[in-house]
Amino acid sequence: MAAGSSVKTATAAALLLVLAASATSSAAAQQLRRNYYAGVCPDVESIVRAAVTKKYRETFITVGATVHLFFHDCFVTGCDASILIASTPNATAEKDNPINLPLAGDGFDTVHRAKAAVDAVPRCRNRVSCADILAMATRDAIALAGGPSYAVERGRLDGLSSTASSVDGKLAPPTFNVDQLAALFASNGLEMDDMVALSAGHTVGFAHCGTFAGRIWGAAAPDAKMNASLAARLREWCPPGVDPRIAVTMDVVTPRVFDNQYFKNLQVGMGLLASDQVLYTDPRSRPMVDAWAKSSAAFSQAFVTAITKMGRIGVKTGAQGNIRRNCAVLNS
């Protein structure tokens, strides 16, 4: 095949992938609505918010843990709470795929607490999906940390399966470049601006030393794109031989606040992961970084748009899902 034909074929295939993802997203949007539980559990928003607030007051780790949990759920088999399923002796679930092991337990605990609070109300018991609770809890955690509050569409059913193998190739490792990130997001119906906005979820939460060790140690380290002061601090926090599971805050400037500091950090080489910093070094994404570093309001608007779109990925309907009695266990 000629080189020109190969490029055209690849471009056409990518376009078809985006169109298919967009069609799926549109179908999900038709099912989701803000008042989905009005007739069965009208107070679900306040119940979930109270549970998340209580958890947040115990530990600010709740914010990043819950946000990252939602992202990892939606990008695998859709926003269906399959990430919450616990492995059994006979089946390894999504949460135990190696790329998901860094997820903090506080995110899981937040959802389980909110589910218990909802089910403690007789009329609400087993009427609200774990998938919707995770979506609402994520919004509430972001708002508690100073981020934007937004209306959450509801009507997701919980997935009927969860396997570790289903995660492979669905989540971005910390070494991805912009082309790889954009392709992954496009496969879920999300565009470049959505990808850059959602990457700011790294303004909260932690990363393990092992995820960025290659940037601070080794023959090619420190990474020339990394701020020298940050690299020095990271070498202190993550010395050779340290447990790779030791965690550091992803945003070392305002680690407890959901804000646009993430983009300001990228402008001075303080993106923790290579897949963060590349958003500034790549000329295609750099204008968005600069714009959202300058305007908190513009970033908030872009983030709300993007996370709303993300919340429509792979929504289960009808026989594709159900409402789990226990978020960690498939209904028998």
Side-chain angles (χ1 to χ4, degrees), residues 40-79:
V40 295
C41 187
D43 298 325
V44 64
E45 288 249 352
S46 59
I47 296 170
V48 171
R49 186 175 298 113
V52 176
T53 300
K54 183 177 180 181
K55 174 68 178 178
Y56 171 77
R57 288 173 178 167
E58 294 175 7
T59 173
F60 78 96
I61 296 172
T62 297
V63 181
T66 307
V67 171
H68 298 164
L69 187 66
F70 188 42
F71 280 42
H72 281 228
D73 182 50
C74 291
F75 269 69
V76 177
T77 57
C79 306

Side-chain angles (χ1 to χ4, degrees), residues 217-241:
W217 299 111
D223 187 334
K225 299 181 182 68
M226 179 177 281
N227 178 284
S229 176
L230 175 62
R233 275 191 282 176
L234 293 175
R235 286 195 295 271
E236 291 180 6
W237 296 336
C238 302

